[in-house]
Amino acid sequence: MNRTLIIVITVLITSFSSIAQNTIIEGRIIQTGSSTVLSGISVYLESTQLGAATNGNGNYMIKNVPSGNYTLVVSAIGYFTQKKEISVEVGETTRADFTLTETISTLSEITLTGGNIGIKDIPGSVHYISPKEIQKFNYTDINRTLRAVPGVNIQEEDGFGLFPSIGLRGTGVERNTKITVMEDGVLMAPAPYAAPAAYYFPTIGRMQGVEILKGSSQIKYGPYTTGGAINLISTQIPNDFSGRINLLGGSFGSRNLHAFVGDSHKNFGYIVETFQYGSNGFKQLDGAGNRGLSRNSGFDKQDYLAKFRINTNADAKIYQSLTFKIGQSIGKINETYLGLTQEDFDINPIRRYAGSQVDRINTEQSQFSLTHNVKFSKNFNVTTVAYRTNFSRNWYKLDEVKDAAGDKIKIAEILDNPMVYTDAYNIITGTSSINNDALFVKANNRTYYAKGIQTVLGFNFETNKISHNIDLGIRIHQDQINRFQWVDEYAMDNGMMELTKAGIHGTESNRIETANAIATYLQYKLRIGKFTATPGIRYENISSARDDYGKEDPDRTGVNLSERSNTVDVFIPGIGLDYRFNNYLSTFIGIHKGFAPPGSKDELEPEKSINYELGTRYAKNGLSGQAVLFFNNYSNLLGTDLEAAGGGGTNEQFNGGAVETKGLEFNLTYDLLSSKNQSVFRLPLTIVYTYTDARFQNNFDSDFSGWGEVSAGDQFPYLANNQFTIMLGLEHHKFSLNLSGRYTDEMRTAPGQGKIPSNEKTDSYFVIDASANYNLNKNISLFVNTTNLTDQVYVVARRPAGLRPGMPRAFNFGLKANF
């Protein structure tokens, strides 16, 4: 009888267990305003350990749920959290579908795509890096973040991404001079019209998303319209009380803190944020630690940001909001223009010469904006932003060396020809100098400001099943750069630099350049069934003026004042056409005029080009991709004499003649487990490829030493013909693993054709990064990443002076907490 009772109890337990195992919560999650499925979204039952994540088809399943009442929570970085009350009965399947809204959808229409338009609806090449993608590797280097975007050209410099040089579609990469860089739709270069070479780039580590817009679709976002625009989206005010603390540390004394907290009430919202990171640097300074030389090759940067919003009730007849944003970024960076000779690089690529021991750049940037948004109806809204940015920087760095014979030689010449300039080379490597004025260190001291007001009116309506969207924008802008520089003189004493003569401030470069611009655009999007046409036109009126006080008038009395000015006005038309074969497949074509302002030199012509693109995109469940052919035909390319680009550092622009740029962009993302509808794992694979070929079309002798004598057919320097990225992940709701490999072709460092001379090229390289994340619970996770996993050694540049290495292998690990 006891045996019979045991059998009965066992059967009952097994039956109840089987029923419990068949108790399921399942559903599908898509994005608001589209049929786009969302993968990797966390779904869990509040106050329990039960949860799951959506797969490549947007489906999730939570198994073995005991009967009862629960709060089902759906959350993901970059989306508003949603909750739903559900009841679960034993043995039954409960379905709960969700539609999530991105937090950036609350941004004004002044941003490129926001969450309101959607990539599929834009006739042109558009890419969006989501919060989830940014968090995968937790990069603080924008160069590494952009490796997942085709059509981006990058030249590395310092290894940490502190001074990015980015181009789009072969525009040239010199200090981002040919792209429009924005944060939350506001121009962020220190002086985008007067001095486009940007020594400030918004900190990627504190950004929530990145939008990259190329081709005809970026006609709205000048002044640079050839390659494209990059809009960085800062952390948005959250819908509910929430925050984050990320604390990481690792190789080369690196440290990284990201923290924010915010909340929204009925008529008020706020967020306060800080992002702080630094490192001791990976380069080995000659003599460091000896005779009191304690400076390393690292940096410290701190960002602080706050936003405050007041708004009417959400259901007000005319909704209005007013958002004030204030931010500050401070940097102390021990970086130099002084690289290495080829021989020294081969021996120790991370060596740094004694002659750079006092080199340092101090930066400070502040930004203020006031955004007013009014929605008169669901069809008509107006957004106005008043803004101001201030930026100051002093890059104190070795510029020239005087040898025993009294000859002054630029550092780039010394490193290119160390056997010719033996004495000068010995001095920068620590040999005591005969002259007390052997080392000339220039204080590249500059201040900038940019200010303006911009307004966008958005109006949409329908007539007979035809959709009309009209955007009208205007921006009134002023920016300025103030150069007030000097040179200090040093002697080298057995590896130690000693100041022998302090320069008088304002006796080197001593000038002010100001630009005033009025820009406006009109863009009309007409949608008839599966066909969309988006014509648009932009107008730019720019007045630039320069007051040069000369090197003999540091008090700026005007006794030797030299003045010049230039005015240009231009219409920039463009049109994009898009045809959607079905909900998943579309093709697009675009043509638009490219433009870049010429500065204050009156004999200069603006940069002009006609640009074409033809592409197709596909997105269905776990598979999405895009392929684009592009061709940019420059009638006049503008170059800039930047010291950072291997030039003389005059910052003068010059005409570069005709150039043709063509290429292919391809990207594909596929979840290898998407066919398994209820798999608890995701295996996303991303492949990105870019081919770029840019060639001069005429012969000329350039005054820019970085180009020299140019012949028709010469390839453009610092553009890799082939770039390839592959990314693979393994994701579960408890953990994730990610690998990223990036191949970059060798690049010419000077114009030319045929086989590249060994002293005029960078290395081709394949660099692998990896990361892992483990969720201790829904609020706390452990994180580790490594960059350059195989510790590849490679040359990334031969400018500004000498060879520069890529970042060696580095590890970071730490804790992430959300609340």
Side-chain angles (χ1 to χ4, degrees):
M1 181 174 179
N2 291 338
R3 182 178 298 174
T4 302
L5 182 61
I6 292 173
I7 293 173
V8 171
I9 293 173
T10 301
V11 170
L12 289 173
I13 292 174
T14 302
S15 299
F16 282 118
S17 175
S18 176
I19 292 172
Q21 288 175 4
N22 290 327
T23 304
I24 294 170
I25 301 174
E26 65 179 16
R28 196 168 192 240
I29 301 177
I30 63 173
Q31 184 168 315
T32 300
S34 71
S35 59
T36 303
V37 297
L38 297 176
S39 59
I41 304 295
S42 176
V43 186
Y44 61 90
L45 297 176
E46 198 169 58
S47 302
T48 76
Q49 297 298 313
L50 299 175
T54 55
N55 63 12
N57 295 318
N59 297 315
Y60 72 91
M61 178 182 290
I62 305 175
K63 300 179 180 179
N64 305 329
V65 182
S67 62
N69 298 319
Y70 297 95
T71 299
L72 187 62
V73 182
V74 178
S75 67
I77 295 172
Y79 291 90
F80 289 119
T81 298
Q82 288 196 22
K83 297 182 179 182
K84 183 179 291 186
E85 302 298 324
I86 61 171
S87 292
V88 176
E89 300 293 336
V90 174
E92 294 185 358
T93 296
T94 302
R95 187 168 185 85
D97 296 327
F98 291 87
T99 301
L100 293 190
T101 302
E102 284 190 271
T103 54
I104 64 168
S105 67
T106 58
L107 280 173
S108 68
E109 290 290 338
I110 214 160
T111 60
L112 305 187
T113 62
N116 301 305
I117 301 174
I119 286 176
K120 291 195 298 183
D121 298 311
I122 297 179
S125 179
V126 182
H127 298 270
Y128 172 59
I129 305 176
S130 69
K132 181 183 176 184
E133 295 302 311
I134 290 176
Q135 289 294 315
K136 278 185 178 180
F137 290 92
N138 220 69
Y139 288 136
T140 56
D141 182 349
I142 184 65
N143 297 324
R144 285 184 137 84
T145 302
L146 293 176
R147 62 167 49 181
V149 180
V152 177
N153 311 112
I154 291 170
Q155 181 221 307
E156 296 184 44
E157 182 173 329
D158 57 89
F160 293 100
L162 302 173
F163 303 103
S165 288
I166 302 169
L168 296 171
R169 291 187 171 175
T171 56
V173 298
E174 291 80 7
R175 289 283 187 262
N176 318 314
T177 54
K178 295 300 180 63
I179 62 174
T180 300
V181 178
M182 299 178 287
E183 180 178 326
D184 296 336
V186 174
L187 295 173
M188 273 296 126
Y193 285 85
Y199 292 80
Y200 168 79
F201 197 91
T203 302
I204 183 61
R206 64 173 176 82
M207 297 300 162
Q208 182 172 303
V210 184
E211 297 171 314
I212 302 96
L213 202 61
K214 297 168 287 182
S216 62
S217 55
Q218 51 96 29
I219 201 75
K220 294 162 63 175
Y221 310 101
Y224 304 93
T225 64
T226 300
I230 297 178
N231 185 40
L232 297 106
I233 303 167
S234 65
T235 307
Q236 299 302 294
I237 297 173
N239 215 26
D240 301 299
F241 179 75
S242 60
R244 177 189 305 163
I245 299 175
N246 293 351
L247 186 60
L248 307 173
S251 303
F252 311 117
S254 66
R255 53 269 179 196
N256 181 332
L257 168 67
H258 184 201
F260 69 80
V261 63
D263 194 7
S264 287
H265 300 279
K266 185 176 181 180
N267 301 112
F268 176 74
Y270 72 92
I271 187 170
V272 290
E273 180 179 26
T274 184
F275 188 90
Q276 304 181 28
Y277 65 118
S279 170
N280 295 334
F282 63 86
K283 294 178 182 175
Q284 300 169 348
L285 182 62
D286 287 351
N290 297 332
R291 300 178 58 192
L293 182 58
S294 59
R295 179 170 291 183
N296 59 41
S297 61
F299 67 94
D300 280 294
K301 291 196 72 177
Q302 301 93 36
D303 278 29
Y304 304 92
L305 190 79
K307 299 178 187 177
F308 305 94
R309 184 194 68 233
I310 57 174
N311 55 269
T312 60
N313 292 343
D315 58 354
K317 186 176 181 179
I318 299 178
Y319 175 83
Q320 297 187 70
S321 66
L322 190 65
T323 304
F324 177 61
K325 175 184 176 184
I326 180 172
Q328 184 180 50
S329 178
I330 302 169
K332 296 180 179 180
I333 306 164
N334 298 328
E335 189 51 70
T336 179
Y337 272 19
L338 189 64
L340 297 172
T341 66
Q342 182 70 63
E343 183 179 0
D344 289 335
F345 184 93
D346 293 339
I347 296 171
N348 180 11
I350 60 174
R351 180 186 177 185
R352 185 166 151 177
Y353 295 136
S356 68
Q357 62 189 252
V358 298
D359 288 13
R360 182 173 186 167
I361 177 170
N362 294 326
T363 67
E364 184 172 348
Q365 192 263 5
S366 59
Q367 59 171 301
F368 311 88
S369 68
L370 187 65
T371 302
H372 177 252
N373 179 252
V374 54
K375 296 182 179 180
F376 294 98
S377 69
K378 67 178 182 179
N379 304 109
F380 181 50
N381 65 82
V382 179
T383 299
T384 302
V385 183
Y387 60 89
R388 180 177 177 114
T389 62
N390 302 297
F391 181 65
S392 63
R393 61 93 158 178
N394 184 5
W395 201 330
Y396 191 70
K397 60 183 186 292
L398 182 65
D399 183 50
E400 294 179 310
V401 179
K402 181 189 287 187
D403 62 15
D407 296 324
K408 293 170 67 173
I409 309 107
K410 285 283 192 178
I411 57 174
E413 294 181 59
I414 297 169
L415 299 185
D416 286 344
N417 305 280
M419 301 304 293
V420 175
Y421 305 108
T422 305
D423 187 53
Y425 169 76
N426 290 335
I427 292 171
I428 65 173
T429 55
T431 300
S432 296
S433 61
I434 295 175
N435 300 310
N436 285 332
D437 58 347
L439 298 152
F440 296 84
V441 180
K442 184 188 291 186
N444 290 269
N445 180 56
R446 304 171 190 177
T447 58
Y448 309 71
Y449 75 78
K451 62 182 180 180
I453 184 168
Q454 57 192 31
T455 297
V456 174
L457 290 78
F459 182 54
N460 65 84
F461 59 97
E462 291 188 2
T463 58
N464 298 323
K465 297 184 179 180
I466 301 175
S467 173
H468 310 263
N469 287 270
I470 300 173
D471 285 329
L472 174 64
I474 184 170
R475 178 174 66 212
I476 302 172
H477 175 94
Q478 183 185 83
D479 60 49
Q480 184 181 97
I481 176 173
N482 183 347
R483 292 179 172 89
F484 197 65
Q485 304 179 178
W486 65 93
V487 175
D488 292 338
E489 299 173 7
Y490 285 79
M492 182 66 77
D493 181 11
N494 194 26
M496 291 291 294
M497 292 175 63
E498 296 182 355
L499 179 66
T500 55
K501 182 181 178 181
I504 298 173
H505 295 199
T507 55
E508 177 48 38
S509 183
N510 181 16
R511 64 181 189 259
I512 297 173
E513 191 147 359
T514 307
N516 291 279
I518 297 176
T520 186
Y521 73 85
L522 174 65
Q523 189 174 76
Y524 171 52
K525 182 164 71 173
L526 174 70
R527 183 184 298 154
I528 306 174
K530 297 180 178 181
F531 176 77
T532 301
T534 310
I537 189 165
R538 181 179 188 85
Y539 173 73
E540 291 269 1
N541 181 283
I542 307 164
S543 297
S544 301
R546 190 175 88 174
D547 293 334
D548 191 344
Y549 294 91
K551 300 180 180 181
E552 305 299 325
D553 186 16
D555 294 328
R556 293 184 170 176
T557 63
V559 63
N560 296 315
L561 182 64
S562 171
E563 299 177 287
R564 74 184 194 192
S565 62
N566 191 15
T567 299
V568 61
D569 64 303
V570 61
F571 287 96
I572 308 166
I575 186 170
L577 305 174
D578 181 275
Y579 183 78
R580 299 186 67 177
F581 298 98
N582 50 47
N583 288 333
Y584 317 112
L585 178 65
S586 65
T587 186
F588 58 89
I589 186 171
I591 179 172
H592 76 284
K593 183 176 181 177
F595 169 80
S600 61
K601 199 172 181 180
D602 58 3
E603 63 264 33
L604 281 180
E605 293 292 326
E607 181 171 284
K608 298 177 182 178
S609 64
I610 303 297
N611 312 296
Y612 310 85
E613 68 174 354
L614 172 64
T616 184
R617 60 171 66 98
Y618 179 86
K620 183 179 182 181
N621 296 331
L623 176 65
S624 63
Q626 180 172 274
V628 184
L629 295 170
F630 66 88
F631 177 66
N632 299 340
N633 188 6
Y634 293 85
S635 58
N636 181 50
L637 177 80
L638 280 180
T640 306
D641 181 27
L642 297 174
E643 192 174 359
T650 65
N651 289 81
E652 294 281 12
Q653 290 184 298
F654 55 90
N655 294 317
V659 174
E660 290 185 355
T661 301
K662 58 181 179 292
L664 167 68
E665 301 169 356
F666 175 80
N667 64 284
L668 177 73
T669 298
Y670 179 59
D671 182 357
L672 299 176
L673 299 178
S674 61
S675 60
K676 301 179 188 257
N677 285 335
Q678 302 303 337
S679 173
V680 298
F681 292 98
R682 291 187 66 241
L683 198 63
L685 172 69
T686 297
I687 296 173
V688 179
Y689 173 73
T690 301
Y691 171 77
T692 310
D693 181 50
R695 294 179 182 268
F696 292 97
Q697 299 300 302
N698 51 1
N699 304 320
F700 64 96
D701 190 5
S702 172
D703 293 332
F704 174 48
S705 57
W707 286 1
E709 187 175 339
V710 176
S711 300
D714 282 355
Q715 288 186 314
F716 207 74
Y718 284 97
L719 284 178
N721 286 132
N722 297 282
Q723 299 177 86
F724 176 78
T725 297
I726 183 168
M727 303 173 71
L728 181 65
L730 176 63
E731 299 177 4
H732 184 268
H733 75 277
K734 289 293 292 182
F735 68 89
S736 64
L737 303 171
N738 295 284
L739 283 173
S740 173
R742 167 79 168 190
Y743 170 79
T744 302
D745 255 355
E746 62 187 15
M747 295 186 287
R748 292 183 180 276
T749 60
Q753 46 193 303
K755 185 178 180 181
I756 309 176
S758 60
N759 65 339
E760 292 185 1
K761 70 176 182 178
T762 65
D763 293 334
S764 61
Y765 57 89
F766 184 71
V767 173
I768 300 173
D769 296 346
S771 71
N773 192 87
Y774 181 76
N775 300 319
L776 298 175
N777 54 48
K778 64 178 181 289
N779 298 115
I780 300 175
S781 62
L782 299 176
F783 177 83
V784 61
N785 76 353
T786 179
T787 53
N788 195 357
L789 181 64
T790 58
D791 204 18
Q792 294 290 307
V793 177
Y794 54 100
V795 176
V796 296
R798 292 177 179 266
R799 63 185 189 185
L803 282 72
R804 309 183 76 86
M807 179 78 171
R809 179 170 52 215
F811 297 91
N812 285 283
F813 60 92
L815 189 72
K816 297 182 178 182
N818 297 292
F819 58 89

